[in-house]
Every structure is written in C-alpha cells, then in structure tokens.
C-alpha cells in the first residue's frame, strides 16, 4: 500500500486520541466515515474507536486505546510501531505531525477520500478485466457487466460524499429556502396509477417514493401491480417489472389476457387460435415503445444470487420512472437473516428512489392475522405510500370488487377506496369503468368477439409475419433485460411458446 495513504489514516486516528483536541474531535468526528479507511487495520481500529466514543461519550488516550483488549495483538503492535516511526520523523516531515486545527483535519480527510476512491476504481478495473477475459461472452453478458460496473462507479462516487447539510435558519435565509421549496413542489412529478378513485384526489404516486402493496396469498397483489405498471406505461412512463414468481412468458400471457379481457385459462385451452390474438394486442400495447426516452415496459430477470440492492443497482442506468418488484422476499438475502435483508433492501430502495427521482413498487405478503407485512414489518417504516388489499378473498372475487385501504400516504390523502376486480384476467379498475361492465363477458358475447377477432386475424396474418420475420424493428418489442445466460425475447418471437410452423 502507498505509505502516504497509511500515514493519513494513522495521523487522523492519532489526532482523535489526542487529549489536546477533545473539543475539536467532538465537532469533527460525526463527519468521519469508516469507509474512508482503506487499510483493514486502520478500518478495524476506527470502528473500535467509534464504539468506545458512542458508549462512553469520550475519546480514549492513545496509550489506553492501543492497550484495549478488543484490539487484536497484531493490530496493536502495528499501530504502536507506526507511532514510534511517526514521532522519530515528525521533526523533519511536518506532514507527520498530529493535526491540531480543523483545516489540518480536513486536509487528512480529503487525502483519505481520494485514496478510497482510487482503491475502489482499481478494484473495479480488476473486476472488469477479469470479467472481460472471456472470448465466449454473449451480448447479454457484456450489457450486464457494463451496467454493473456503471452502478458500482456511481456508488463509489456518492459514497465518498456523505457529509450532511447543516442549514441555519435566519431572517435572511427564509425567503430563498421557501423559493426553493416552491420550485421543488411545482416541479414534483406524479405518476398516475390509472385509478380515478385515487388519482382524482392525490394526482398519482409521487416520484422519489417507496410504494408498498400488501395482500394475502391469492388477493391479487401481482395483478394490481401489473395494472399499475401497464396504466403508467400508457401515460408515458418508463416501467421495469421484476417478476420473481412467474416467467416472462407467463407474464406476457397475463398481460395479453388483461388487454383482451379474456381469462388466461380460456386463452390456453386453444393456444393455436389464441397466439395470433395475443401477439396483435401486445403489439398494439407496445406500439410507442422506443429507445429515445419514450415510454416502455421492460422485464428484468435477476440472477439467483441477486439481492434487492443488486437488482436496483443494475437497473439504475436505464432511468426508469417505475420499478416493480414482485416480490422481494424471493430475492437473495446475502447471508443475512430474512427480516434483516428485507429491512436493508427497503431502506436501500427508498434511498434509490430519492436519488433517481423514480418510485419503487414493492409487492409484499400480508401476515395471516394482521395487516402487517410478513417476514419484515420494518419495510412499512421505509415506505412513503402503502396500499392494503383488504377483505375476504372469496367474497371479493364473488362480488367483483375490493376495498383498498391506504396504510400510508405521506403528504397525500389516506382515504380508502373501492376498485373492481376480475382476477381471471388480472383486471383492476374504477367502479364506474364502463369499458369492462359489471359482469364478465358471457359466452355468446365471447363467441361473437372470437369470430370478430378471427376475421381480423385473417386480414393481419401477412402483416404480422412480415413485421416479425422480415423487419423485426425495435418498435413494438417487449425489451427484456436478463442476467447472463438468458436470451432476449419479444412478444412477437416464436420462443414465446410452442407454436405451429404456419404461425
């Protein structure tokens, strides 16, 4: 390791254990971060010093610190030897003197932050070089590596600048601060959910939010999340859906079922007839999808080892307005207890949404006895908005409607509201939605609708074949970002399901 790096860390640690700096240390210590110590020995030493200060409210002397039994014998010997060298050379090298002023402390901190960034970049370089040492790499694997490295680089840059903002309120500062608040409020962006019962009062879900949907097994959590995502896409939002309980193919069938207003089981009874109809309705839905910042609805299939943090970090470069996690409990816990991993993931998701001015929709399972989130009640603490799908599941299905309770609505009206639902084709809508009707489409209407679609299929078969087999432009495709080893697929691809050659 570069000797200058260790001296900066040593001198800062030595300054914090100097009795002459007691008042200055109390002022500056809260701004110093463990991650700025790149040497493992000094990182451990600072962690111990911090724990002593938090417990006792004072800093130990250097002599008592290096004799602390919680410090390993190896680390204690190293620090003692380093201090002897510092004392013997400080007369000739003024940079080795113990810091006594705030300016001198800031100089050491600046050096350590630079060193920490430098070491992080070297590690990223080594990871990238190792990953690229593969002649058989696929385009998907390369995209995955680029996104991962970019996310890590952004995190490295932000991690080195974590000092809080101290705002002093004075007669002169009130006006500019309120002007700033007015501008932020005016420019705040809301994404409509597509449900007038909510949007007419609250406009939509604000960006920079963690939005949680809670429901029992079979209540329609995923379908409600899918409806919100599809509604958001139709008003111009960029949406990413992370399905953890269903495959992408199953999700596409579910989307087609909702768009056609035909139950999934009916579509699957005759896949040969249904396939063209599903392609057509999905192509219509994705018609304005583009790579120029226009609306989109993408899927991301995580690796089995991915945590919530990994998934969001990977998706960060794509600038989505809405990311739907269905549902995070199935992601890796990263060797942490399940409740702790979910708590940590929700906390990260909240910070992520604030940093990227997006909102993360977190779909969670309800506890059997309470309206709390199973496995990690702490997730609710980090949420800005939370909807609970309430009531008896069988009664909701029989009545065709469901009561949505708002457990949290930060800065918004927390009113409850009713929605229509028909889970046979993943539908949620307003009670006065006339496009669906109060009852499921009967068999006569279904038969007539099928005949009309069959006629339409005859007219459009050639067009579909031309566009899917010859042009295959990016317009109208379902862009799916996947981890290494998974192929990209689209609503028009023959990999969608097993289809006869003539289709």
């Amino acid at each position: 390791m570069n000797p200058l790096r260790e001296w900066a860390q040593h001198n800062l640690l030595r300054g914090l254990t100097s009795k002459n700096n007691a008042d200055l240390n109390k002022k500056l210590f809260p701004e110093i971060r463990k991650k700025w110590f790149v040497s493992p020995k000094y990182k451990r030493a600072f962690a111990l010093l911090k724990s002593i200060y938090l417990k006792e409210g004072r800093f130990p002397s250097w002599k008592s610190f290096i004799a602390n039994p919680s410090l390993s014998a190896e680390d204690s010997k190293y620090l003692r030897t380093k201090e002897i060298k510092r004392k013997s050379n400080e007369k000739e090298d003024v940079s080795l003197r113990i810091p006594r002023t705030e300016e001198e402390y800031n100089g050491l901190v600046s050096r350590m932050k630079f060193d920490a960034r430098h070491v992080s970049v070297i590690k990223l370089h080594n990871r990238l070089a190792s990953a690229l040492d593969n002649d058989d790499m696929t385009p998907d694997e390369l995209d995955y590596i680029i996104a991962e490295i970019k996310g890590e680089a952004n995190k490295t840059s932000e991690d080195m600048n974590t000092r809080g903002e101290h705002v002093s309120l004075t007669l002169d500062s009130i006006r500019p601060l309120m002007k700033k608040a007015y501008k932020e409020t005016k420019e705040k962006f809301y994404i409509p959910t597509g449900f007038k019962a909510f949007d007419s009062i609250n406009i939509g879900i604000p960006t920079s939010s963690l939005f949680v949907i809670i429901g029992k097994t079979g209540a329609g959590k995923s379908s409600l999340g899918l409806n919100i995502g599809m509604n958001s896409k139709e008003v111009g939002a960029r949406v990413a859906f992370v399905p953890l309980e269903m495959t992408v193919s199953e999700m596409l069938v579910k989307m087609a079922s909702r768009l056609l207003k035909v139950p999934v089981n009916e579509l699957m009874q005759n896949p040969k007839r249904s396939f063209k109809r599903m392609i057509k309705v999905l192509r219509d839905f994705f018609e304005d999808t583009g790579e120029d910042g226009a609306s989109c609805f993408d899927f991301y299939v995580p690796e089995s080892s991915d945590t919530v943090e990994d998934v969001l970090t990977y998706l960060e470069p794509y600038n989505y307005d809405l990311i739907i996690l269905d549902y995070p409990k199935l992601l890796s816990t990263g060797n942490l207890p399940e409740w702790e991993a979910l708590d940590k993931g929700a906390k990260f998701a909240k910070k992520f949404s604030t940093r990227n001015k997006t909102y993360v929709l977190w779909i969670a399972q309800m506890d059997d006895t309470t309206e709390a989130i199973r496995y990690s009640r702490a997730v609710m603490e980090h949420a800005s908005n939370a909807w609970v799908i309430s009531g008896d599941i069988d009664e909701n299905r029989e009545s065709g409607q469901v009561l949505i309770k708002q457990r949290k609505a930060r800065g918004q009206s927390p009113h409850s509201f009713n929605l229509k639902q028909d889970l046979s084709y993943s539908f949620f809508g307003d009670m006065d939605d006339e496009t669906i009707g109060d009852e499921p489409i009967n068999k006569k209407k279904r038969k007539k609708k099928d005949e009309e679609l069959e006629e339409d299929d005859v007219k459009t078969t050639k067009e579909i074949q031309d566009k899917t087999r010859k042009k295959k432009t990016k317009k109208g495709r379902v862009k799916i970002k996947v981890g290494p080893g998974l192929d990209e697929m689209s609503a028009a691809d023959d990999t969608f399901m097993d289809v006869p050659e003539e289709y």
Side-chain angles (χ1 to χ4, degrees):
M1 178 177 286
N2 188 325
L4 292 178
R5 286 178 182 162
E6 282 217 337
W7 279 124
Q9 297 170 79
H10 182 88
N11 288 352
L12 182 62
L13 196 68
R14 187 64 185 84
L16 292 172
T17 54
S18 172
K19 292 183 178 180
N20 296 329
N21 294 352
D23 292 337
L24 187 58
N25 286 340
K26 285 185 177 180
K27 177 184 177 182
L28 300 178
F29 184 74
E31 299 180 358
I32 300 172
R33 299 289 181 267
K34 177 182 173 182
K35 57 193 166 191
W36 298 342
F37 291 82
V38 294
S39 165
K41 290 183 176 64
Y42 284 99
K43 192 184 290 287
R44 291 191 294 268
F46 177 76
L48 175 60
L49 182 65
K50 183 176 180 179
S51 68
I52 294 172
Y53 176 71
L54 294 176
K55 183 178 180 180
E56 301 179 4
R58 63 180 181 82
F59 293 99
S61 66
W62 176 255
K63 186 176 180 180
S64 64
F65 177 66
I66 58 176
N68 192 296
S70 297
L71 194 67
S72 71
E74 182 184 353
D75 288 352
S76 177
K77 181 180 178 181
Y78 185 86
L79 293 176
R80 188 181 290 109
T81 302
K82 197 78 170 177
E83 178 60 11
I84 292 172
K85 289 182 180 179
R86 187 197 69 77
K87 281 185 175 181
S88 62
N89 291 297
E90 67 175 337
K91 290 183 179 179
E92 289 131 16
D93 188 351
V94 294
S95 67
L96 297 181
R97 293 176 183 173
I98 297 174
R100 298 297 183 191
T101 67
E102 187 171 346
E103 183 179 358
E104 289 173 346
Y105 269 98
N106 289 337
L108 291 174
V109 167
S110 295
R111 171 72 202 194
M112 290 169 61
K113 288 168 72 173
F114 171 81
D115 291 339
R117 280 198 298 266
H118 189 203
V119 170
S120 295
V121 171
I122 291 174
K123 289 180 179 178
L124 284 175
H125 170 269
N126 292 339
R127 282 175 58 192
L128 183 60
S130 176
L132 293 176
D133 189 21
N134 178 9
D135 295 334
D136 299 325
M137 182 179 295
T138 66
D140 282 337
E141 289 174 326
L142 181 60
D143 288 343
Y144 186 87
I145 292 169
I146 291 172
E148 185 181 24
I149 295 297
K150 185 175 180 180
E152 287 292 329
N154 290 337
K155 185 174 181 295
T156 296
S157 178
E158 292 170 0
D159 280 351
M160 296 305 113
N161 297 284
T162 55
R163 181 176 294 183
E165 180 184 10
H166 182 198
V167 180
S168 297
L169 296 178
T170 65
L171 293 176
D172 294 332
S173 68
I174 294 296
R175 183 176 179 82
L177 286 171
M178 287 305 297
K179 285 181 70 174
K180 180 181 178 183
Y182 171 76
K183 183 178 180 182
E184 289 176 350
T185 302
K186 186 178 179 182
E187 294 178 352
K188 194 168 188 179
F189 181 51
Y190 294 81
I191 301 177
T193 63
F195 305 128
K196 290 184 290 184
F198 176 83
D199 297 337
S200 62
I201 297 176
N202 288 326
I203 306 175
I205 301 296
T207 54
S208 305
S209 297
L210 173 60
F211 174 26
V212 178
I213 290 179
I214 313 161
K216 296 179 181 178
T217 301
K221 304 181 297 295
S222 299
S223 293
L224 181 55
L226 178 63
N227 275 258
I228 291 173
M230 294 176 72
N231 293 342
S232 299
K233 189 267 179 193
E234 289 183 322
V235 296
R238 294 175 55 79
V239 181
F241 197 106
V242 183
L244 296 162
E245 293 188 294
M246 303 180 74
T247 66
V248 172
S249 297
E250 290 170 333
M251 288 300 302
L252 288 174
V253 172
K254 196 170 183 177
M255 292 173 72
S257 170
R258 176 188 176 274
L259 293 167
L260 289 168
K261 309 179 186 68
V262 178
V264 170
N265 62 343
E266 290 191 26
L267 291 174
M268 294 297 95
Q269 283 175 2
N270 191 342
K272 180 178 178 181
R273 184 182 66 180
S274 302
F275 182 67
K276 290 189 295 181
R277 297 165 59 193
M278 288 191 284
I279 285 183
K280 183 179 184 302
V281 75
L282 286 169
R283 286 173 61 83
D284 289 343
F285 177 77
F286 291 104
E287 186 175 3
D288 62 344
T289 298
E291 297 189 354
D292 55 354
S295 67
C296 66
F297 192 110
D298 298 350
F299 290 103
Y300 175 66
V301 181
E303 292 285 322
S304 60
S305 59
D306 279 353
T307 62
V308 171
E309 296 92 320
D310 293 331
V311 170
L312 293 177
T313 299
Y314 175 81
L315 293 174
E316 187 168 12
Y318 296 96
N319 300 315
Y320 291 112
D321 299 307
L322 165 58
I323 297 173
I324 303 172
L325 303 178
D326 182 28
Y327 70 106
K329 178 191 175 294
L330 297 180
L331 287 166
S332 171
T333 61
N335 297 322
L336 293 174
E338 193 168 58
W339 67 269
E340 188 176 348
L342 291 172
D343 179 24
K344 182 182 176 186
K347 189 180 296 184
F348 181 87
K350 174 58 182 172
K351 292 180 179 179
F352 173 92
S353 62
T354 301
R355 182 173 70 247
N356 291 283
K357 298 189 186 306
T358 183
Y359 86 81
V360 176
L361 174 49
W362 180 296
I363 297 175
Q365 180 120 357
M366 183 192 295
D367 187 82
D368 290 333
T369 56
T370 66
E371 290 187 351
I373 296 177
R374 185 183 290 179
Y375 312 112
S376 180
R377 298 183 180 183
V379 171
M380 185 68 78
E381 297 301 317
H382 304 302
S384 305
N385 295 71
W387 290 5
V388 175
I389 303 176
S390 62
D392 181 79
I393 294 175
D394 293 331
E395 291 179 3
N396 290 343
R397 291 187 178 184
E398 186 176 345
S399 66
Q401 66 181 55
V402 62
L403 176 65
I404 303 296
K405 294 181 181 179
Q406 291 194 72
R407 284 281 303 278
K408 291 187 77 173
R410 191 168 297 164
Q412 296 183 302
S413 169
H415 66 285
S416 299
F417 55 94
N418 286 295
L419 292 177
K420 279 185 182 178
Q421 72 163 19
D422 189 333
L423 299 184
S424 67
Y425 54 95
S426 306
F427 168 74
F428 280 85
D430 284 296
M431 294 303 295
D432 61 350
D433 191 336
E434 297 177 357
T435 61
I436 303 302
D438 292 328
E439 298 179 3
I441 302 172
N442 60 40
K443 291 184 178 180
K444 288 185 179 179
K445 289 183 178 179
R446 177 88 70 217
K447 184 177 180 181
K448 184 177 179 182
K449 188 176 183 67
D450 288 346
E451 291 172 352
E452 291 173 353
L453 285 167
E454 285 291 346
E455 291 177 6
D456 192 44
D457 287 342
V458 173
K459 297 176 184 177
T460 59
T461 297
K462 190 176 186 305
E463 178 188 352
I464 292 173
Q465 291 174 341
D466 290 342
K467 289 184 178 179
T468 59
R469 296 181 182 176
K470 296 179 181 179
K471 289 179 71 176
K472 283 202 172 182
T473 61
K474 290 182 179 179
K475 186 177 182 181
R477 293 171 65 87
V478 184
K479 297 184 294 303
I480 301 169
K481 318 300 180 187
V482 299
L486 295 174
D487 297 323
E488 182 179 77
M489 63 185 290
S490 77
D493 285 339
D494 287 345
T495 56
F496 175 59
M497 62 175 66
D498 188 14
V499 183
E501 280 296 323
E502 62 266 27
Y503 292 99

